[in-house]
Amino acid sequence: MTHTLTLKQDDHITFQLYEASTDPFKIKKRRKSYLIMLTMGFFFILFSYLNGDNFLFYYAISCTFLFAILGNSYLRWRHKKHYVSHVKNIRKGIFDERVQIEIGEGVIKMADKTGDSHLKISEISLVNEITEFYFLKISTGPTFILPKRNIALNEEVNTMIKNYNIPHTINLDWKWK
């Protein structure tokens, strides 16, 4: 059965945010940014204390205290802003295009304005599932975004996962954090 999908800008943003929040390297990088900012704050506290500058000392304490409390929220906002900007600038022109998809025996057939393509189901290394999407990770690196807007397609994807024993992670309660 052939299904017609249309990916929107928000779909690509959601994928970028999901990848950023589940990739151990990116999580470690975000944590490192937080610790660097706190270390810089403590450095300025120590520097101003040793120089006897009371105003700078209390200012550094206030800023470091605020960052310790609100720093993760700030970094979450800053990273989300980065990914939204990235999708708008780098992926512009690929939104709202119709793609026809058909899951067949051993292959997923896709047709869009550029032509037809086939993806071997055996090349899908992982399926990540969140509330609104399936993210099909392909062994060569890219990820295929499948919105869960079509019930029949969802059933075909679940059948494909079971029949081909594709590793499947379910994060239905995932939120950007």
Side-chain angles (χ1 to χ4, degrees), residues 136-149:
L136 283 63
K137 178 92 169 127
I138 302 169
S139 63
T140 56
T143 300
F144 189 64
I145 304 169
L146 274 178
K148 290 175 139 182
R149 297 179 190 121

Side-chain angles (χ1 to χ4, degrees), residues 67-153:
F67 189 80
I69 293 171
L70 302 174
N72 282 324
S73 297
Y74 166 73
L75 290 173
R76 182 174 40 251
W77 170 80
R78 192 179 89 194
H79 281 95
K80 182 175 183 177
K81 185 177 175 182
H82 163 75
Y83 289 114
V84 168
S85 174
H86 172 77
V87 168
K88 285 181 180 178
N89 294 330
I90 304 299
R91 299 202 174 265
K92 62 184 170 188
I94 63 169
F95 309 121
D96 300 325
E97 290 184 12
R98 292 182 180 265
V99 177
Q100 291 189 339
I101 183 170
E102 181 180 346
I103 299 175
E105 284 298 315
V107 70
I108 298 175
K109 299 175 185 175
M110 296 168 279
D112 61 6
K113 71 178 186 177
T114 62
D116 297 340
S117 60
H118 296 3
L119 170 66
K120 290 182 182 178
I121 293 175
S122 61
E123 291 300 311
I124 298 173
S125 59
L126 175 67
V127 175
N128 291 309
E129 180 181 356
I130 63 173
T131 306
E132 299 172 341
F133 298 98
Y134 292 104
F135 301 124
L136 283 63
K137 178 92 169 127
I138 302 169
S139 63
T140 56
T143 300
F144 189 64
I145 304 169
L146 274 178
K148 290 175 139 182
R149 297 179 190 121
N150 185 328
I151 295 171
L153 179 60

Side-chain angles (χ1 to χ4, degrees), residues 38-68:
L38 279 181
T39 303
M40 286 176 49
F42 288 123
F43 171 76
F44 283 117
I45 290 171
L46 182 63
F47 177 76
S48 60
Y49 178 75
L50 293 176
N51 284 339
D53 188 346
N54 285 338
F55 174 76
L56 186 59
F57 175 73
Y58 290 115
Y59 183 74
I61 286 177
S62 301
C63 289
T64 304
F65 179 74
L66 277 174
F67 189 80

